[in-house]
Amino acid sequence: MVWGLPADHDVDIEGLLREVGLEGMAEHSTPSLSGGELQRLAVASALARDPALLVADEITSMVDPKGREDLLGVLSRLTDQHQMSLVHITHFQSEAAAADREIALRAVNGKTATTAIQTVPVPTSTAARPNTESPVVLEFDSVAHQYASGTPWAKTALHDVSLAVHEGDGVLIHGGNGSGKSTLAWIAAGLTKPTSGQCLLDGKPVSDQVGSVAISFQAARLQLLR
């Protein structure tokens, strides 16, 4: 929150963390935070600079509905609690409608960006129902994972997950921010070894077969190099 600020810059760290809903988490390591928690921490870090203007650039686009609600709650109180203005950039028309003033950028086809996104139809699945008689390709056997084990910042991300993915399956993993979805994905790709239990690809530990399971990161910039 205070990285880069002068040493004599007075910041009420606990107060700002309380304001964004991260009270009592000052000693947590950033890798242990969920996507929504990181977004709220970024807002707190911006507020530590006492800005006259805060630009929130699509900060709700990669969090779940509860995380969006929490972030919007934080944003809605900023101009009352601080001497500042707020510009909120969003794809969601419902968020834009809550502003004092709405500015819509127009796409090439003349439709506003928000309208274009809101009216895109949900694709219809054409895949056949999964056949549980088909071979098991990927299997989670009592998988649990804890970050920073043995330290004061230890945080359990997964507990006793057992799941079999059959050949031809299409599986949706659903859960709130911090529920362990990304951790499960990294374990499935062999990039993270579970604290206990095992993840098997074709009957062998997937961590010994890195590259056999492809993964697309939630934050694409962490995956693309130049």
Side-chain angles (χ1 to χ4, degrees), residues 7-171:
D8 60 353
H9 188 89
D10 187 28
V11 178
D12 180 9
I13 293 178
E14 287 296 344
L16 287 177
L17 289 177
R18 188 182 313 112
E19 182 176 344
V20 299
L22 298 177
E23 185 175 8
M25 299 179 67
E27 299 301 321
H28 285 227
S29 61
T30 50
S32 71
L33 302 181
S34 69
E37 290 169 342
L38 285 171
Q39 288 285 18
R40 282 182 277 148
L41 179 61
V43 172
S45 179
L47 294 177
R49 273 81 184 153
D50 297 321
L53 171 67
L54 175 67
V55 179
D57 187 9
E58 295 190 30
I59 67 172
T60 63
S61 62
M62 294 178 64
V63 295
D64 63 19
K66 180 62 170 64
R68 280 184 59 206
E69 181 181 333
D70 292 341
L71 275 168
L72 290 173
V74 171
L75 295 181
S76 69
R77 297 186 293 268
L78 289 183
T79 55
D80 292 330
Q81 298 177 344
H82 302 270
Q83 291 185 330
M84 61 178 293
S85 298
L86 169 69
V87 173
H88 178 43
I89 301 172
T90 179
H91 285 296
F92 298 100
Q93 182 61 46
S94 59
E95 295 181 10
D100 296 324
R101 183 158 61 106
E102 178 182 348
I103 299 174
L105 300 183
R106 299 194 176 277
V108 176
N109 60 7
K111 298 174 68 177
T112 62
T114 49
T115 302
I117 289 175
Q118 290 294 319
T119 56
V120 171
V122 177
T124 302
S125 174
T126 58
R129 289 185 174 276
N131 179 9
T132 54
E133 300 301 321
S134 60
V136 173
V137 179
L138 189 69
E139 182 177 9
F140 295 87
D141 181 13
S142 301
V143 166
H145 192 70
Q146 185 181 67
Y147 290 102
S149 295
T151 75
W153 305 281
K155 180 178 180 180
T156 299
L158 295 172
H159 176 70
D160 195 24
V161 175
S162 294
L163 170 69
V165 180
H166 296 257
E167 184 177 298
D169 275 359
V171 180

